[in-house]
Amino acid sequence: MKHTDERPRPAPALPTREPVRLVDRHGRRVGHSSFTAPDPARLVELHRAMLIGRRFNQQAGTLARQGRLAVYPSSTGQEAAQVGGVLALSDQDWLFPTYRDSVALVAHGVDPVRTLTLFRGDWHCGYDPHRYRCAPQCTPLATNASHAVGLTYAARRKGRDVAALAMMGDGATSEGDAHEAYNFAAVWNTPVVFLVQNNHWAISVPLHRQTAAPTLAHKAVGYGMKGYHVDGNDAAAVYAVVSHALAEARAGGGPAIVEAVTYRVDPHTNADAPQRYRDPAEVEHWKERDPLIRSERLIRDEGLLGDAEETERALAAFGAEADRIADTVRERLADGDELDPRSLFTDVYATVPPLLEQEHALLADELREV
Amino acid sequence: MAAAPTTGVSMGEALNRALRDAIADDPDVLVYGEDVGPLGGVFRVTDGLAGEFGEERVFDSPLAESGIVGTAIGMAMYGLRPVVELQFDAFAYPAFEQVVSHLAKMRNRTRGAVALPVVLRVPYGGGIGGVEHHSDSSEAYYTHTPGLRVVTPGTPADAYSMLREAVECDDPVVFLEPKRRYWSRQEVDLPVRTEPMATPVVRRPGTDATLIAYGPMVETALEAAETAAAEGRSLEVVDVRQLAPLDDGVVTASVRRTGRAVVVHEASVFGGYGAELAARIGERCFHYLEAPVLRVGGLDVPYPPPKLEHHHLPDAHRVLAAVDRLQWESEWVDDGDGGRTLP
Ligand SMILES: Cc1ncc(C[n+]2csc(CCOP(=O)(O)OP(=O)(O)O)c2C)c(N)n1
């Protein structure tokens, strides 16, 4: 058996420097040569999911301030990027999220309370990844990306049509693991879309200290992948572009990087001190580009929910639903699995080895003493 | 001392056959890594497999160790059983984050919902005249990480059996192949199944002291025991096999019988795996010990260049020198007057 030398796909075109935008910050549609906005029902669905996400972020932030969560990395301002990406997934597809992506998990259908297990400190992951087709939220930067490549590779071998959305931040694209995952995906032609939320900051480090690339989407080209540069505060654009990239990847056209340009309005986590590294005016600038403002304006201006009265009623219902979910999170936060110290030992190996049995006995003695 | 066998199955051949049989037995098993395809691996452990099973089952991946382990994790999440080769001990380091932060922890993070049956094959250790970065004994980096099974065979029969077991195992296994023993032979009919890998085995019974070794040092310890026997000292040799999680019953039972122990490995002594063995023996055999547990290993220096590596690597001579230091001379006799030692 010998190798043959072949090049799989034609060279991809450079991404546009101007991000793909379908709805501007005033809620007005913008024409685009390659992408069209999703249908009205989808636009409404995106708005609803973003509202739920915004309330979830606020609720989790409050719980963190009250000390009921150990920490919470908010994604306020990034809802369009997360929701737009996730709603583009099909039923069988997998999500590979980071710590920043709780809103994406909720939009993907993970129980909101179980989403917070990690940050509550009860366990590292509160849900069964197989049940939700969602990997545990990943903290070591960019390390989740190659898992998405491997999983979609395995699914293809088993004859299943499974694509994946691998999420990462702008800072994470500097990691070696991002590079390795992009390269593996491209060489193996696995259906993965790498959704990079460029929220401009990696804790305190701005993007220009992170990379000299013209855009993060440009990185794709060197791997023989397509790169898309998208207005990440335009849910319609994120949805359209990620849907397109997923469809192409599924059809064998190769993986892609989608850079969603957005902004982290809140501190990195509740423990961060953003006044030390960024100008508050910058935050104000981005608040004017809030993804929810524009989607609500679009819905109102175009009457996507009916006449003025129907629109008010429907939007109020969405708000009430978002409040209800947030309330449930607050009330059920104490729920969840019983914290049994025995569980420290049960799932380290497939069976509990003698060493851990001994340590369990020691711990049981200690517990009896108190 | 008996000459090393020149007939039979070599460890490299046994590993090759184990991979072949594992691929043939289970359609979910696949083998990939750097140069494991048409070339058959730099040590030829995957020789012929790509030709026999095709590129679907055995293939060359991009040159990126973290990506190799990361993709294997994703594959295992979706029901495959990847067996990946990391070409050399020191070139597995780029994958360390994937190994420690994901491979070892996924089962625990997900409360058992996601198992990762991944085998990382890592040729390790020195003694083959390799230039720098080709001879590290990296076992302690892995054994210090809960969630990994770390195993290393000392004989061709074990190499076959333990690799089959590793592939069948639902835990991630770091399978350390003692590369200087790839060419060591043993008369054995394959396929063979030896004792379960989690159990240490007594390779050679003895009564005066126990040598505890693993991987490349099993052969060295046996050689030392053979020489000692000719000099009238009976040494028992225990092969640890699965370094982590350790089931120390066989080790401690042996030391309780003999009363003396020398732990032998190729890795530098300080902070090495032998420290763990010595500590455990101390805790569990204290009242049986006639002498402190001694450790024999490599020098506490970066792995030396080829022309100096023989100074670093423990040989039977260094092992026997340690055996001589086990306070045989100070056997204590109660003379009714505070005691005295035998001359
Ligand atoms: C490998 C690794 N290095 C460092 C960290 C610590 N850390 C956590 S978040 C973060 C910034 C990440 O920035 P970015 O990728 O842009 O994502 P964001 O937090 O903005 O969503 C750092 C340095 C980490 N989690 N993993």
Side-chain angles (χ1 to χ4, degrees), chain A residues 99-100 139-141 169-172 175 199 201-203 264 268, chain B residues 97:
Chain A
Y99 53 88
R100 177 80 59 211
T139 304
L141 299 172
D170 45 289
E175 292 279 2
N199 66 7
W201 294 94
I203 308 185
R264 193 196 77 216
H268 172 70
Chain B
E97 184 182 21

Side-chain angles (χ1 to χ4, degrees), chain A residues 1-3 94 96 122-125 128-130 135-138 140 143 146-147 149-151 153-155 157-158 160 162 177 180 183-184 187-188 337 339 344 347-350 353-355 358, chain B residues 27-28 30 32 38 50-51 56-57 59-62 64-68 70-71 73-75 77-80 97-98 102 106-114 146-148 171 245 247 280 284:
Chain A
M1 204 208 90
K2 296 223 168 56
H3 283 298
W94 274 68
F96 287 80
D122 288 352
W123 203 257
H124 313 297
C125 172
D128 176 351
H130 289 294
Q137 283 180 274
C138 183
T143 55
S146 58
H147 305 170
V149 179
L151 184 132
Y153 179 96
R157 265 186 57 119
K158 288 177 176 277
R160 306 215 184 98
V162 176
D177 271 58
E180 295 194 19
N183 190 50
F184 268 78
V187 173
W188 289 356
D337 301 317
L339 286 183
L344 291 170
D347 294 314
V348 183
Y349 297 95
L355 174 74
Q358 291 154 16
Chain B
D28 286 333
L30 74 176
Y32 66 99
E56 283 290 290
R57 306 294 299 280
F59 53 92
D60 290 327
S61 72
E65 294 75 17
S66 188
I68 289 172
T71 51
I73 289 168
M75 289 182 194
M77 287 176 77
Y78 208 85
L80 295 184
E97 184 182 21
Q98 288 288 350
H102 291 295
M106 186 69 84
R107 176 187 289 280
N108 186 253
R109 291 168 75 205
T110 62
R111 291 177 177 247
V114 180
L148 299 175
D171 294 319
D247 181 350
R280 274 182 187 269
R284 285 164 202 260

Side-chain angles (χ1 to χ4, degrees), chain A residues 1-2, chain B residues 10-21 23 31-54 57-60 83 85 121 163 177 182-183 185:
Chain A
M1 204 208 90
K2 296 223 168 56
Chain B
S10 74
M11 186 179 283
E13 290 160 1
L15 293 166
N16 177 269
R17 176 69 191 276
L19 289 174
R20 203 177 112 211
D21 292 352
I23 297 167
V31 169
Y32 66 99
E34 296 160 10
D35 306 296
V36 301
L39 179 67
V42 294
F43 293 105
R44 305 293 181 265
V45 172
T46 57
D47 187 32
L49 299 179
E52 187 174 346
F53 295 101
R57 306 294 299 280
V58 181
F59 53 92
D60 290 327
V83 182
E85 177 172 309
R121 291 184 38 244
L163 186 50
E177 301 176 0
Y182 275 141
W183 303 274
R185 291 183 179 275

Side-chain angles (χ1 to χ4, degrees), chain B residues 149-302:
Chain B
R149 282 207 198 212
V150 184
V151 307
T152 179
T155 67
D158 256 9
Y160 178 90
S161 183
M162 288 168 65
L163 186 50
R164 292 300 306 275
E165 209 187 325
V167 176
E168 289 156 6
C169 178
D170 284 335
D171 294 319
V173 179
V174 179
F175 194 92
L176 298 168
E177 301 176 0
K179 63 173 93 81
R180 67 197 286 206
R181 304 300 182 203
Y182 275 141
W183 303 274
S184 292
R185 291 183 179 275
Q186 179 185 12
E187 293 294 346
V188 57
D189 287 328
L190 299 181
V192 68
R193 290 293 177 134
T194 58
E195 299 80 352
M197 64 187 180
T199 324
V201 299
V202 175
R203 285 267 167 246
R204 177 189 171 110
T207 52
D208 296 337
T210 303
L211 304 179
I212 300 121
Y214 54 85
M217 286 293 107
V218 172
E219 212 170 291
T220 306
L222 288 169
E223 189 190 325
E226 184 108 5
T227 306
E231 294 165 358
R233 196 168 268 163
S234 167
L235 303 183
E236 182 148 301
V237 176
V238 174
D239 178 354
V240 183
R241 306 165 83 238
Q242 177 172 295
L243 310 185
L246 175 68
D247 181 350
D248 62 15
V250 172
V251 176
T252 50
S254 171
V255 177
R256 285 177 184 199
R257 273 195 307 277
T258 62
R260 289 179 166 83
V262 177
V263 177
V264 188
H265 59 50
E266 226 184 85
S268 301
V269 170
F270 189 90
Y273 183 74
E276 179 61 44
L277 285 173
R280 274 182 187 269
I281 293 167
E283 286 169 14
R284 285 164 202 260
C285 308
F286 186 74
H287 293 291
Y288 299 81
L289 285 172
E290 308 278 352
V293 181
L294 294 183
R295 288 170 292 161
V296 168
L299 308 174
D300 289 303
V301 300

